[in-house]
Amino acid sequence: MLEITEITCINLKDGLFLKPEYLIHEYISGNKFRKLRYNLLMAKEKGFTKLLTFGGAYSNHVVATAAAGKAFNFETIGIIRGDELATKPLNSSLEYAEKCGMQLKFISRKEYQERHNSKFIDGLKSAFGDFYFIPEGGTNALAVKGCEEILSKEDAEFELICCPVGTGGTIAGIINSSSSHQTVLGFSALKGNFLDKEIAQWTEKNNWELITDYHFGGYAKINSELISFINRFKTDYGIPLDPLYTGKMMYGIVDMMNSGKIDRSTKVLAIHTGGLQGIDGMNFRLKNMNLPQLI
Ligand SMILES: *Cc1c(COP(=O)(O)O)cnc(C)c1O
């Protein structure tokens, strides 16, 4: 159960390679599969039949948990940020999660702030029965362990490894399994300076750096320049990028290569962490914002 076949890197252009982790699964998005893997094995081992997790309206992690629950026989409960969402038609991500059998509970943004509070989480047990708890974004020690399997031995030839950063679990796993001659660059999908600390709590190494210049205004923010970049990338390479994470990372890598911040002679590996299920939801939002669609 939960085996992942080896993912082969793609040569994009002079020195830039991409690891297409999105090929792991259509809905259990690349890094989310890695993050869930050891958690689900642990849940099975301990005899849990239910998973409970937290996330926002378009969360790749919520969708991945719902799909994994269906595939590996767990009941799933998603606690979703925003009680106003309960009265609206569900967006494509939540609709899919519900179709997988996930029970959705919408809570207010204020209540959602309690998501790290163990008393609050224990309180949910009286409503939903006993469950295996997976935190927001899926990040915990077992998730980091799963992400330590993203890099393979052959990847030692790359000098620079790039990946997008949300909660920091994925990059921490990559850092842990990187060699000391490699540098890991994280491209933050969020505004703010708190992520360095988040990452540092999961790794003891320091061959990494967080780049905060390419969040485009913050989490899930987008503009027409990013849309054209993502669409052009798909036309040029046949590779889809998601608008929240991999699109912003790849925009950043190309920009840093063009400006010389990444030297032309450097061998770079970009980790495509998946997230493609979010494109439909973003296109729905883009229509309302009068912006062009992602192709
Ligand atoms: C969740 C997600 C990330 C961020 O991963 P973290 O471990 O939270 O940093 C990156 N890329 C994609 C596609 C994601 O869905």
Side-chain angles (χ1 to χ4, degrees), residues 29 31-32 35 60 137 139 164-170 242 245-246 273-275:
S29 170
N31 68 332
K32 300 304 187 287
K35 293 170 88 169
N60 291 332
T139 292
V165 179
T167 61
T170 303
D242 85 291
Y245 295 103
T246 55
T273 42

Side-chain angles (χ1 to χ4, degrees), residues 6 36 57 60-61 77 105 124 139 147 155 165 170 183 186 201-202 212 222 225 232 239 261 270 272 280:
E6 180 80 34
L36 282 170
N60 291 332
H61 165 66
I77 301 142
K105 181 179 163 65
L124 292 169
T139 292
C147 291
D155 298 331
V165 179
T170 303
T183 301
Q201 83 183 328
W202 301 110
T212 54
I222 190 165
E225 198 182 340
R232 213 174 329 120
I239 295 168
K261 279 188 193 147
H272 190 315
D280 284 351

